[in-house]
């Protein structure tokens, strides 16, 4: 599938913010089943850029604003060509798998998560992960007002609701309790029922014995297909967040996000 992405994020500050630095993990890399035909990241403010790979192998761009800003918009436009690999992910792996058994504050194990994982412990790994994915999809309620970026998996599970970030954190935490390396993924999902979204998407990848890394989307109850553009990975949201930053002053901050990810039309030549 050819997927066009337009991802716009605007930050507004009550007062000019100085020393603004933003870490942008907005550019996907190529791997088996994913080819990046076009991709561009722009800001509407003057500043400097420094690009590198982070420890997880994500493409990282650091933006340094030249002067205090009351508003800044980051725009991503791109075209990815994605093939359906039945959820199996074969990408460059800079870290040993055991790293992804580590818990974080957002994916810390708890008694409810341990109980959840225990329901699937007697199944073969792949079957257990499919069952876990389907269970979360069926039992958790998607509610964008119930959580925020700081909500831990344990709290979202108790609440029984959240967004794709929360579904993924719970899935990752449970998989690690099953002694399966698991990681958080940020990216885009080309949807047919709505063109504009108010956030990028998130899912999880788990290392399945004798198969490799497999991508599961518990928010939708399925493995990743050719409608998914994989951008960044990490132990949790903080490692793979599209934009994280720091500043001096500025007062209160508001953020608005608009995302369009859709199947691109193939133009025929006559």
């Amino acid at each position: 599938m050819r997927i066009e992405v337009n991802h716009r994020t605007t930050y507004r500050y009550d007062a000019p913010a100085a020393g603004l630095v933003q870490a942008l993990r907005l550019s996907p890399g190529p791997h088996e089943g994913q080819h990046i035909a076009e991709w561009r990241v722009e800001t509407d403010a003057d500043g400097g850029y420094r690009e590198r790979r982070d420890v997880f192998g994500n493409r990282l761009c650091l933006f340094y604003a030249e002067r205090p800003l009351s508003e800044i918009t980051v725009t991503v436009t791109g075209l990815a060509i994605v093939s359906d690999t039945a959820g199996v992910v074969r990408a460059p792996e800079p870290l040993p798998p055991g790293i992804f058994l580590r818990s974080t504050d957002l994916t810390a194990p708890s008694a409810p998560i341990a109980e959840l994982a225990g329901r699937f412990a007697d199944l073969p790994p792949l079957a257990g992960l499919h069952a876990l994915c389907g269970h979360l999809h069926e039992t958790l309620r998607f509610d964008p007002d119930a959580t925020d970026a700081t909500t831990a998996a344990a709290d979202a599970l108790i609440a029984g609701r959240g967004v794709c970030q929360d579904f993924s954190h719970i899935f990752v935490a449970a998989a690690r309790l099953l002694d399966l390396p698991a990681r958080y993924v940020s990216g885009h999902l080309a949807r047919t029922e709505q063109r504009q979204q108010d956030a990028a998407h998130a899912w999880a990848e788990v290392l399945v014995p004798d198969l490799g890394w497999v991508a599961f989307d518990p928010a939708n109850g399925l493995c990743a297909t050719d409608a998914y553009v994989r951008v960044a990975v990490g132990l949790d949201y903080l490692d793979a967040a599209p934009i994280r930053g720091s500043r001096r002053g500025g007062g209160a901050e508001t953020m608005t996000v608009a995302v369009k990810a859709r199947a691109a039309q193939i133009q025929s030549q006559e």
Side-chain angles (χ1 to χ4, degrees):
M1 182 184 296
R2 294 165 60 88
I3 301 175
E4 289 181 344
V5 173
N6 189 299
H7 181 184
R8 180 183 298 266
T9 306
T10 299
Y11 292 89
R12 296 182 177 89
Y13 310 104
D14 285 348
L20 180 69
V21 179
Q22 291 184 323
L24 311 176
R25 291 178 176 84
L26 295 166
S27 299
H31 59 80
E32 185 175 329
Q34 178 169 290
H35 169 69
I36 308 305
E38 304 170 14
W39 209 267
R40 187 176 182 87
V41 179
E42 300 176 295
T43 64
D44 64 352
D46 294 330
Y49 296 86
R50 182 179 302 169
E51 296 187 4
R52 63 179 178 86
R53 296 275 180 177
D54 68 12
V55 66
F56 297 101
N58 302 316
R59 294 180 61 184
L60 171 64
C61 178
L62 297 175
F63 170 75
Y64 304 85
E66 290 184 353
R67 59 181 62 90
L69 298 171
S70 296
E71 180 177 321
I72 183 172
T73 296
V74 182
T75 302
V76 179
T77 54
L79 173 65
I81 302 172
V82 185
S83 302
D84 193 342
T85 59
V88 177
V89 179
R90 296 184 176 90
E93 299 292 346
L95 296 175
I99 294 293
F100 296 100
L101 288 170
R102 296 179 180 177
S103 65
T104 67
D105 289 344
L106 292 176
T107 60
S110 65
I113 294 177
E115 190 277 331
L116 172 68
R119 299 183 188 187
F120 310 101
D122 294 333
L123 294 173
L126 183 60
L129 291 168
H130 278 296
L132 171 62
C133 183
H135 176 80
L136 293 179
H137 175 63
E138 293 172 1
T139 59
L140 297 181
R141 177 183 170 189
F142 191 90
D143 183 351
D145 298 319
T147 60
D148 58 34
T150 66
T151 301
D155 295 329
L157 181 59
I158 292 173
R161 59 186 64 196
V163 295
C164 55
Q165 171 183 310
D166 305 297
F167 284 67
S168 300
H169 280 156
I170 296 168
F171 187 92
V172 164
R176 290 173 183 162
L177 286 176
L178 295 172
D179 202 31
L180 297 170
R183 59 195 179 198
Y184 181 98
V185 185
S186 66
H188 299 287
L189 170 58
R191 302 177 186 269
T192 56
E193 71 279 8
Q194 61 179 35
R195 289 196 173 183
Q196 182 161 306
Q197 306 152 47
D198 58 5
H201 195 48
W203 58 96
E205 293 174 357
V206 183
L207 186 60
V208 179
D210 301 321
L211 183 57
W213 288 97
V214 180
F216 295 88
D217 179 2
N220 288 294
L222 46 74
C223 283
T225 67
D226 58 351
Y228 289 71
V229 179
R230 180 182 186 266
V231 177
V233 303
L235 293 174
D236 61 22
Y237 162 79
L238 295 177
D239 293 328
I243 302 176
R244 294 183 67 190
S246 63
R247 57 186 169 89
R248 298 193 305 274
E253 171 187 284
T254 59
M255 179 184 71
T256 57
V257 180
V259 182
K260 291 182 180 179
R262 63 185 182 89
Q265 298 294 325
I266 299 177
Q267 296 182 348
S268 60
Q269 296 181 348
E270 297 182 355

